[in-house]
Amino acid sequence: MSNRKEKDFLNLPFTGICTFGKYPICTDLDQLDADVAVIGVPNDMGTQWKSGARMGPRGIREGSTLYSFGLDGAYDIEKDIMYLGPDWKVVDCGDVDMVHGDLLQCMENTEEAIKKIVSKGAMPVILGGDHSITIPVGKGLAEAGPFHVIQIDAHLDWADHRSGQRYGHGSCIRRLSEMDHVDKIFQFGIRGISSSKKEDVDAAREYGSVILSPRQMRKMGIESVLEQIPAGERYFITIDIDGLDPSIAPATGTPSPGGLIYDEVNELLEGIAKRGQVIGFDMVEVAPPYDYAGMTGQVAARLTLDLMSFILKEREIVSATKTEKISL
């Protein structure tokens, strides 16, 4: 028995409600008042092989509890920086409602949810779901545009259709390219045989897409990769977990050897956040049924928290700079 008169409230990872990062809940978007709104889209009706990404939001939330030791911020031992301080209001908005068997209605619900989040002035952070969810997410971000799209992925996702199906997870980036508020597209981590048909790659290059494989990125170095992206502009980032190597993120429907490692993606995301304004991002294709050790959910959660940290830290710097100028 402890002799301490006062006990700490630890809120350990295995206790309590499993929200993302153990952040507070806001399930009524009409009442949303936050800087960052995390929302799940548990839809995998766009998959072409292994299903299971519909459980992705739950898996990522589960993984995120490991990194939720209190809401007073997170200290980075390597950089000697505090991230995600208590001044930032982050909430978990639960999941978009899904209608089984009705892909279009699920997409309509997703688009409306993202529109509502944007209208409330919060940055949407979306947990998928397969990559087809990025289509309605992109539509819902219209009022936040124009913006560039930065994709981290093993696959180009530029198929026009498959037997008339235009809203699968292999068509999402092509659908984004057709939206008036989407400008340039940058596709990082693309690799491997069967990633795309040659005509899809030709169409992407004709659009002006910048396509780099992990090997090309390593030869160039992260700084040179970042220089491909216009500075000082707005970006939407879409992260397919299969952009990472399956040795560290195996639980996904279409894994591809030769992917990026965690440190490379972490450094890339930090550089993007410093380069311009990230208006939102998604994390897709985590498939918990294949995540036997829970590692994929944890990697996805960690990268999601990393990117949130980088984005909000840059906002802090900008705010402090403006305050300093006013005081002068």
Side-chain angles (χ1 to χ4, degrees), residues 26-41:
C26 174
T27 55
D28 184 354
L29 292 181
D30 288 324
Q31 302 300 318
L32 178 63
D33 179 17
D35 300 297
V36 178
V38 180
I39 191 165
V41 184

PDB file of all heavy atoms in Angstrom, residues 26-41:
ATOM      1  N   CYS A  26     -16.189  14.942 -29.557  1.00  0.00           N
ATOM      2  CA  CYS A  26     -17.215  15.866 -30.050  1.00  0.00           C
ATOM      3  C   CYS A  26     -17.916  15.178 -31.208  1.00  0.00           C
ATOM      4  O   CYS A  26     -17.440  15.215 -32.341  1.00  0.00           O
ATOM      5  CB  CYS A  26     -16.617  17.191 -30.508  1.00  0.00           C
ATOM      6  SG  CYS A  26     -17.813  18.306 -31.280  1.00  0.00           S
ATOM      7  N   THR A  27     -19.028  14.535 -30.921  1.00  0.00           N
ATOM      8  CA  THR A  27     -19.713  13.782 -31.965  1.00  0.00           C
ATOM      9  C   THR A  27     -20.777  14.603 -32.686  1.00  0.00           C
ATOM     10  O   THR A  27     -21.340  14.145 -33.677  1.00  0.00           O
ATOM     11  CB  THR A  27     -20.368  12.521 -31.382  1.00  0.00           C
ATOM     12  OG1 THR A  27     -21.230  12.899 -30.305  1.00  0.00           O
ATOM     13  CG2 THR A  27     -19.321  11.554 -30.866  1.00  0.00           C
ATOM     14  N   ASP A  28     -21.055  15.806 -32.224  1.00  0.00           N
ATOM     15  CA  ASP A  28     -22.021  16.692 -32.880  1.00  0.00           C
ATOM     16  C   ASP A  28     -21.238  17.794 -33.591  1.00  0.00           C
ATOM     17  O   ASP A  28     -20.766  18.748 -32.963  1.00  0.00           O
ATOM     18  CB  ASP A  28     -22.986  17.299 -31.853  1.00  0.00           C
ATOM     19  CG  ASP A  28     -24.065  18.163 -32.509  1.00  0.00           C
ATOM     20  OD1 ASP A  28     -23.996  18.373 -33.745  1.00  0.00           O
ATOM     21  OD2 ASP A  28     -24.961  18.634 -31.780  1.00  0.00           O
ATOM     22  N   LEU A  29     -21.083  17.655 -34.901  1.00  0.00           N
ATOM     23  CA  LEU A  29     -20.277  18.626 -35.650  1.00  0.00           C
ATOM     24  C   LEU A  29     -20.874  20.022 -35.626  1.00  0.00           C
ATOM     25  O   LEU A  29     -20.156  21.005 -35.838  1.00  0.00           O
ATOM     26  CB  LEU A  29     -20.104  18.153 -37.099  1.00  0.00           C
ATOM     27  CG  LEU A  29     -19.252  16.886 -37.284  1.00  0.00           C
ATOM     28  CD1 LEU A  29     -19.139  16.531 -38.762  1.00  0.00           C
ATOM     29  CD2 LEU A  29     -17.869  17.063 -36.680  1.00  0.00           C
ATOM     30  N   ASP A  30     -22.172  20.149 -35.359  1.00  0.00           N
ATOM     31  CA  ASP A  30     -22.773  21.474 -35.227  1.00  0.00           C
ATOM     32  C   ASP A  30     -22.247  22.203 -33.997  1.00  0.00           C
ATOM     33  O   ASP A  30     -22.313  23.431 -33.927  1.00  0.00           O
ATOM     34  CB  ASP A  30     -24.299  21.371 -35.146  1.00  0.00           C
ATOM     35  CG  ASP A  30     -24.915  20.991 -36.483  1.00  0.00           C
ATOM     36  OD1 ASP A  30     -24.399  21.452 -37.521  1.00  0.00           O
ATOM     37  OD2 ASP A  30     -25.889  20.214 -36.495  1.00  0.00           O
ATOM     38  N   GLN A  31     -21.725  21.443 -33.037  1.00  0.00           N
ATOM     39  CA  GLN A  31     -21.195  22.021 -31.807  1.00  0.00           C
ATOM     40  C   GLN A  31     -19.665  22.055 -31.808  1.00  0.00           C
ATOM     41  O   GLN A  31     -19.054  22.360 -30.779  1.00  0.00           O
ATOM     42  CB  GLN A  31     -21.683  21.213 -30.593  1.00  0.00           C
ATOM     43  CG  GLN A  31     -23.193  21.118 -30.470  1.00  0.00           C
ATOM     44  CD  GLN A  31     -23.853  22.482 -30.333  1.00  0.00           C
ATOM     45  OE1 GLN A  31     -23.363  23.345 -29.606  1.00  0.00           O
ATOM     46  NE2 GLN A  31     -24.953  22.678 -31.053  1.00  0.00           N
ATOM     47  N   LEU A  32     -19.053  21.777 -32.927  1.00  0.00           N
ATOM     48  CA  LEU A  32     -17.592  21.690 -33.002  1.00  0.00           C
ATOM     49  C   LEU A  32     -16.936  23.036 -32.708  1.00  0.00           C
ATOM     50  O   LEU A  32     -17.272  24.050 -33.300  1.00  0.00           O
ATOM     51  CB  LEU A  32     -17.176  21.208 -34.396  1.00  0.00           C
ATOM     52  CG  LEU A  32     -15.669  21.111 -34.677  1.00  0.00           C
ATOM     53  CD1 LEU A  32     -15.020  20.087 -33.760  1.00  0.00           C
ATOM     54  CD2 LEU A  32     -15.428  20.743 -36.151  1.00  0.00           C
ATOM     55  N   ASP A  33     -15.981  23.018 -31.801  1.00  0.00           N
ATOM     56  CA  ASP A  33     -15.178  24.184 -31.455  1.00  0.00           C
ATOM     57  C   ASP A  33     -13.775  23.683 -31.146  1.00  0.00           C
ATOM     58  O   ASP A  33     -13.472  23.296 -30.019  1.00  0.00           O
ATOM     59  CB  ASP A  33     -15.770  24.923 -30.250  1.00  0.00           C
ATOM     60  CG  ASP A  33     -14.940  26.136 -29.839  1.00  0.00           C
ATOM     61  OD1 ASP A  33     -14.121  26.593 -30.658  1.00  0.00           O
ATOM     62  OD2 ASP A  33     -15.099  26.603 -28.691  1.00  0.00           O
ATOM     63  N   ALA A  34     -12.923  23.637 -32.162  1.00  0.00           N
ATOM     64  CA  ALA A  34     -11.598  23.037 -31.986  1.00  0.00           C
ATOM     65  C   ALA A  34     -10.648  23.552 -33.048  1.00  0.00           C
ATOM     66  O   ALA A  34     -11.059  24.122 -34.071  1.00  0.00           O
ATOM     67  CB  ALA A  34     -11.698  21.519 -32.063  1.00  0.00           C
ATOM     68  N   ASP A  35      -9.364  23.352 -32.793  1.00  0.00           N
ATOM     69  CA  ASP A  35      -8.339  23.659 -33.798  1.00  0.00           C
ATOM     70  C   ASP A  35      -8.161  22.490 -34.761  1.00  0.00           C
ATOM     71  O   ASP A  35      -7.918  22.690 -35.954  1.00  0.00           O
ATOM     72  CB  ASP A  35      -7.001  23.954 -33.098  1.00  0.00           C
ATOM     73  CG  ASP A  35      -7.086  25.135 -32.159  1.00  0.00           C
ATOM     74  OD1 ASP A  35      -7.349  26.250 -32.635  1.00  0.00           O
ATOM     75  OD2 ASP A  35      -6.919  24.937 -30.936  1.00  0.00           O
ATOM     76  N   VAL A  36      -8.270  21.281 -34.238  1.00  0.00           N
ATOM     77  CA  VAL A  36      -8.093  20.073 -35.044  1.00  0.00           C
ATOM     78  C   VAL A  36      -9.248  19.126 -34.754  1.00  0.00           C
ATOM     79  O   VAL A  36      -9.571  18.861 -33.584  1.00  0.00           O
ATOM     80  CB  VAL A  36      -6.764  19.368 -34.719  1.00  0.00           C
ATOM     81  CG1 VAL A  36      -6.630  18.079 -35.532  1.00  0.00           C
ATOM     82  CG2 VAL A  36      -5.581  20.289 -34.993  1.00  0.00           C
ATOM     83  N   ALA A  37      -9.876  18.621 -35.804  1.00  0.00           N
ATOM     84  CA  ALA A  37     -10.980  17.668 -35.666  1.00  0.00           C
ATOM     85  C   ALA A  37     -10.569  16.355 -36.319  1.00  0.00           C
ATOM     86  O   ALA A  37     -10.387  16.283 -37.540  1.00  0.00           O
ATOM     87  CB  ALA A  37     -12.249  18.205 -36.322  1.00  0.00           C
ATOM     88  N   VAL A  38     -10.400  15.319 -35.502  1.00  0.00           N
ATOM     89  CA  VAL A  38     -10.084  13.986 -36.007  1.00  0.00           C
ATOM     90  C   VAL A  38     -11.397  13.259 -36.265  1.00  0.00           C
ATOM     91  O   VAL A  38     -12.288  13.242 -35.415  1.00  0.00           O
ATOM     92  CB  VAL A  38      -9.249  13.207 -34.977  1.00  0.00           C
ATOM     93  CG1 VAL A  38      -8.925  11.802 -35.502  1.00  0.00           C
ATOM     94  CG2 VAL A  38      -7.960  13.959 -34.639  1.00  0.00           C
ATOM     95  N   ILE A  39     -11.518  12.670 -37.460  1.00  0.00           N
ATOM     96  CA  ILE A  39     -12.755  11.959 -37.780  1.00  0.00           C
ATOM     97  C   ILE A  39     -12.426  10.704 -38.583  1.00  0.00           C
ATOM     98  O   ILE A  39     -11.542  10.702 -39.449  1.00  0.00           O
ATOM     99  CB  ILE A  39     -13.738  12.867 -38.552  1.00  0.00           C
ATOM    100  CG1 ILE A  39     -15.112  12.202 -38.646  1.00  0.00           C
ATOM    101  CG2 ILE A  39     -13.195  13.263 -39.926  1.00  0.00           C
ATOM    102  CD1 ILE A  39     -16.219  13.163 -39.059  1.00  0.00           C
ATOM    103  N   GLY A  40     -13.116   9.617 -38.267  1.00  0.00           N
ATOM    104  CA  GLY A  40     -12.897   8.364 -38.970  1.00  0.00           C
ATOM    105  C   GLY A  40     -13.870   8.182 -40.124  1.00  0.00           C
ATOM    106  O   GLY A  40     -15.014   8.630 -40.064  1.00  0.00           O
ATOM    107  N   VAL A  41     -13.395   7.525 -41.177  1.00  0.00           N
ATOM    108  CA  VAL A  41     -14.258   7.147 -42.303  1.00  0.00           C
ATOM    109  C   VAL A  41     -14.058   5.647 -42.527  1.00  0.00           C
ATOM    110  O   VAL A  41     -13.214   5.227 -43.315  1.00  0.00           O
ATOM    111  CB  VAL A  41     -13.918   7.952 -43.576  1.00  0.00           C
ATOM    112  CG1 VAL A  41     -14.918   7.599 -44.684  1.00  0.00           C
ATOM    113  CG2 VAL A  41     -13.935   9.447 -43.315  1.00  0.00           C
TER     114      VAL A  41
END
